[in-house]
Amino acid sequence: MLSSHMRSLRTVGRRLFNTDASQFPAAKQRFIPTSGNYPKGFYAGGSACGIKKNGKPDLAVLLSDRPAVASAVFTTNQFCAAPVQFDRQLINGAREAGAPIVRAVVTNSGCANAVTGKQGLVDAKLMSEAGDRFVSRFSGSAVGGSSSLVMSTGVIGQSLPVEKISTGLDGLEVGEGHDMWMRAAVAHMTTDTFPKLLSRRYQGGFSMAGITKGAGMIHPNMATLLGTICTDANVSQEMLDRALKYAVARSFNAISVDGDMSTNDTIAVLANGASGAVIGEEGFVEFRDALTEFMAELAALVVRDGEGATKFITVEVRGARSFDDAKRVASTIATSSLVKTAFYGQDANWGRILCAVGYAGVELDTGAVDMSIWPGDGGRPLVLVEKGEPRLPLDEVRAKEILVLEDVKVVVDLGVGQEMARMYTCDLSHDYVSINADYRS
């Protein structure tokens, strides 16, 4: 039963911001859910606490009504931000203690708290403590020790206004319903053009919900942006760590917008067990695959919102000797500026793709390589290369019909093995330069 503290936090603050999908670009509204199936025992909320100059929402909370097992992957950027350092230490401490301790994830947008020196670490801790106080008010009892992860996104090199966050948390509302999850998703946004929220219920008796943000500085090598996935499955620390490692390699580490890796990249998964669905070894693969599929779908939303993007491009590499080989080739194609600009110009310059395959650093049998492009509408694909030989003459009409679509898939079959990997990317447009030329303003 909810305490009076819980009930008050669920019912105040109705004056907060609008989450109606109509305020976002019409082309993106189809990616914004109007309802959801949210995991038991988790609460969400968001508000504007004054970090952003334009007064838009900039503070979000995801909260569990009981201690949750937590796992995370972080940026490998050596200038990793203070929140990354703090969260890594908190999660490692939970692993050493052998007990779930995380109760909340507090996220701010508008200030990254990155490259802020010793004061940044102090501010990250103060932000976590403010989150702990919020949890204590929610539950009606004091929280022992650090229990709140923190995430920050925005401009690098500026001090975090912790007092605004603390004050903002004093009046922030959380709840279990769709609108409250939407508020949290909106509060994550920086250059994003739409909130990225996903939820699913699974036959195993558990649910997942996830929020992510990102539109630029998106490139893999651990995480690639900010995101939190919550599940009410009962899963051990070891299994959650194992599942996340597998899933992130096939989702958030399989997307690229611009090749820049942020200082703040973090993907966290919280499991509170509130559904009663226990994940044992027999059910582990089912849970791992569900998490992987869920995270891949969530990560794809980031690519669809790539800064200035007009195309969503899936790069699928088949017939490789190993998953790592397939992933390397797919990544090389997905990050090629020449490939990305060709897609923007709707130019069937397939030589750029094949060139990227050749310099990916994977041993090839060039006479075994097939390549084709597939339309997102499920229509007939266009074969470009077969057994290393070009399919000539190029069907320019069919190529244009495919490349004019928003969704396009590139399929490369190396013809030397059975392994496969995918990368998700977007095109590179004039607008990307315009957006990033005046980001601080």
Side-chain angles (χ1 to χ4, degrees), residues 88-113:
R88 184 184 287 122
Q89 183 177 12
L90 180 59
I91 290 177
N92 284 340
R95 289 192 182 105
E96 292 173 3
I101 62 172
V102 174
R103 292 291 304 276
V105 179
V106 181
T107 303
N108 77 273
S109 56
C111 177
N113 191 16

Side-chain angles (χ1 to χ4, degrees), residues 13 53 73 86-87 106 162 221 247 253 307 313 337 343 366 375:
K53 297 177 182 178
V73 289
F86 180 88
D87 289 351
V106 181
V162 180
N221 202 355
N253 267 355
E307 291 171 345
I313 306 162
S337 295
F343 274 103
T366 57

Side-chain angles (χ1 to χ4, degrees), residues 239 279-287:
M239 286 188 180
I279 308 301
E281 280 297 340
E282 289 185 358
F284 172 73
V285 171
E286 181 182 352
F287 174 80

Side-chain angles (χ1 to χ4, degrees), residues 127-147:
M127 182 174 172
S128 177
E129 290 173 351
D132 293 343
R133 291 193 295 273
F134 184 87
V135 173
S136 294
R137 292 194 299 274
F138 177 90
S139 61
S141 60
V143 174
S146 296
S147 66

Side-chain angles (χ1 to χ4, degrees), residues 316-340:
E316 183 175 299
V317 176
R318 306 171 179 170
R321 292 184 181 91
S322 67
F323 172 77
D324 288 343
D325 281 358
K327 182 78 173 289
R328 179 175 292 185
V329 174
S331 178
T332 304
I333 297 169
T335 56
S336 166
S337 295
L338 289 177
V339 171
K340 290 158 73 72

